Short mmCIF file of all heavy atoms in Angstrom, two decimals:
data_model
loop_
_atom_site.label_atom_id
_atom_site.label_comp_id
_atom_site.label_asym_id
_atom_site.label_seq_id
_atom_site.Cartn_x
_atom_site.Cartn_y
_atom_site.Cartn_z
N GLU B 68 25.36 -64.18 -7.22
CA GLU B 68 25.83 -62.80 -7.39
C GLU B 68 25.56 -62.33 -8.81
O GLU B 68 25.50 -63.13 -9.74
CB GLU B 68 27.35 -62.72 -7.13
CG GLU B 68 27.77 -63.03 -5.73
CD GLU B 68 29.27 -62.87 -5.54
OE1 GLU B 68 30.00 -62.86 -6.56
OE2 GLU B 68 29.72 -62.78 -4.39
N ARG B 69 25.45 -61.03 -8.93
CA ARG B 69 25.35 -60.40 -10.25
C ARG B 69 26.07 -59.06 -10.14
O ARG B 69 25.44 -58.00 -10.10
CB ARG B 69 23.88 -60.22 -10.66
CG ARG B 69 23.71 -59.91 -12.13
CD ARG B 69 22.26 -59.64 -12.50
NE ARG B 69 22.12 -59.43 -13.92
CZ ARG B 69 21.06 -58.85 -14.48
NH1 ARG B 69 20.06 -58.44 -13.73
NH2 ARG B 69 21.01 -58.69 -15.78
N PRO B 70 27.39 -59.10 -10.03
CA PRO B 70 28.16 -57.94 -9.59
C PRO B 70 28.03 -56.69 -10.46
O PRO B 70 28.07 -55.58 -9.95
CB PRO B 70 29.61 -58.47 -9.61
CG PRO B 70 29.57 -59.68 -10.47
CD PRO B 70 28.22 -60.26 -10.34
N LYS B 71 27.87 -56.84 -11.76
CA LYS B 71 27.81 -55.66 -12.62
C LYS B 71 26.46 -55.54 -13.30
O LYS B 71 26.30 -54.77 -14.25
CB LYS B 71 28.92 -55.71 -13.67
CG LYS B 71 30.32 -55.70 -13.07
CD LYS B 71 31.39 -55.73 -14.13
CE LYS B 71 32.78 -55.73 -13.50
NZ LYS B 71 33.86 -55.81 -14.52
N GLY B 72 25.50 -56.29 -12.81
CA GLY B 72 24.18 -56.22 -13.40
C GLY B 72 24.07 -56.88 -14.76
O GLY B 72 23.08 -56.68 -15.46
N SER B 73 25.09 -57.68 -15.12
CA SER B 73 25.01 -58.38 -16.41
C SER B 73 24.96 -59.88 -16.13
O SER B 73 23.90 -60.40 -15.79
CB SER B 73 26.17 -58.00 -17.32
OG SER B 73 27.42 -58.24 -16.66
N PHE B 74 26.09 -60.59 -16.21
CA PHE B 74 26.09 -62.03 -15.96
C PHE B 74 25.90 -62.30 -14.46
O PHE B 74 26.10 -61.41 -13.61
CB PHE B 74 27.37 -62.68 -16.47
CG PHE B 74 28.59 -62.39 -15.64
CD1 PHE B 74 28.96 -63.23 -14.60
CD2 PHE B 74 29.37 -61.27 -15.89
CE1 PHE B 74 30.08 -62.96 -13.83
CE2 PHE B 74 30.49 -60.99 -15.12
CZ PHE B 74 30.84 -61.84 -14.08
N SER B 75 25.52 -63.53 -14.15
CA SER B 75 25.34 -63.93 -12.76
C SER B 75 26.05 -65.27 -12.53
O SER B 75 26.23 -66.06 -13.46
CB SER B 75 23.86 -64.08 -12.44
OG SER B 75 23.65 -64.58 -11.13
N THR B 76 26.45 -65.49 -11.29
CA THR B 76 27.00 -66.79 -10.90
C THR B 76 26.18 -67.36 -9.74
O THR B 76 25.66 -66.61 -8.90
CB THR B 76 28.47 -66.69 -10.47
OG1 THR B 76 28.58 -65.74 -9.40
CG2 THR B 76 29.35 -66.26 -11.63
N LEU B 77 26.05 -68.66 -9.74
CA LEU B 77 25.40 -69.38 -8.64
C LEU B 77 26.42 -70.38 -8.11
O LEU B 77 26.91 -71.22 -8.87
CB LEU B 77 24.16 -70.12 -9.14
CG LEU B 77 23.42 -70.98 -8.10
CD1 LEU B 77 22.77 -70.11 -7.03
CD2 LEU B 77 22.35 -71.85 -8.78
N GLU B 78 26.77 -70.26 -6.85
CA GLU B 78 27.74 -71.17 -6.25
C GLU B 78 27.04 -72.05 -5.23
O GLU B 78 26.20 -71.58 -4.45
CB GLU B 78 28.87 -70.39 -5.55
CG GLU B 78 29.91 -71.32 -4.93
CD GLU B 78 31.02 -70.58 -4.16
OE1 GLU B 78 30.83 -69.39 -3.84
OE2 GLU B 78 32.05 -71.22 -3.90
N ILE B 79 27.39 -73.32 -5.24
CA ILE B 79 26.93 -74.26 -4.23
C ILE B 79 28.16 -74.77 -3.49
O ILE B 79 29.06 -75.33 -4.10
CB ILE B 79 26.15 -75.44 -4.83
CG1 ILE B 79 25.05 -74.97 -5.77
CG2 ILE B 79 25.56 -76.30 -3.70
CD1 ILE B 79 24.34 -76.09 -6.51
N GLN B 80 28.19 -74.55 -2.20
CA GLN B 80 29.31 -75.03 -1.39
C GLN B 80 28.95 -76.37 -0.75
O GLN B 80 27.78 -76.63 -0.44
CB GLN B 80 29.64 -74.00 -0.31
CG GLN B 80 30.13 -72.67 -0.87
CD GLN B 80 30.49 -71.67 0.23
OE1 GLN B 80 29.86 -71.65 1.28
NE2 GLN B 80 31.51 -70.87 -0.02
N ARG B 81 29.98 -77.19 -0.55
CA ARG B 81 29.81 -78.48 0.14
C ARG B 81 28.61 -79.23 -0.44
O ARG B 81 27.65 -79.56 0.26
CB ARG B 81 29.63 -78.26 1.64
CG ARG B 81 30.77 -77.46 2.27
CD ARG B 81 30.58 -77.28 3.78
NE ARG B 81 29.31 -76.62 4.11
CZ ARG B 81 29.08 -75.33 4.03
NH1 ARG B 81 30.03 -74.52 3.59
NH2 ARG B 81 27.90 -74.84 4.38
N THR B 82 28.69 -79.52 -1.72
CA THR B 82 27.55 -80.12 -2.40
C THR B 82 27.10 -81.42 -1.75
O THR B 82 27.92 -82.18 -1.19
CB THR B 82 27.87 -80.39 -3.88
OG1 THR B 82 29.10 -81.13 -3.97
CG2 THR B 82 27.98 -79.11 -4.67
N GLU B 83 25.81 -81.66 -1.85
CA GLU B 83 25.18 -82.88 -1.33
C GLU B 83 24.47 -83.58 -2.49
O GLU B 83 24.15 -82.95 -3.50
CB GLU B 83 24.16 -82.52 -0.25
CG GLU B 83 24.75 -81.77 0.93
CD GLU B 83 23.70 -81.27 1.90
OE1 GLU B 83 22.49 -81.46 1.62
OE2 GLU B 83 24.09 -80.70 2.95
N GLN B 84 24.20 -84.86 -2.32
CA GLN B 84 23.56 -85.60 -3.40
C GLN B 84 22.19 -85.02 -3.74
O GLN B 84 21.77 -85.03 -4.90
CB GLN B 84 23.45 -87.09 -3.03
CG GLN B 84 24.79 -87.79 -3.06
CD GLN B 84 24.69 -89.28 -2.78
OE1 GLN B 84 23.85 -89.71 -1.99
NE2 GLN B 84 25.54 -90.04 -3.41
#
Side-chain angles (χ1 to χ4, degrees):
Chain B
E68 295 182 343
R69 195 184 183 198
K71 298 181 180 178
S73 55
F74 73 91
S75 175
T76 57
L77 177 68
E78 181 183 17
I79 309 174
Q80 296 182 326
R81 304 181 303 281
T82 52
E83 301 173 356
Q84 288 184 325

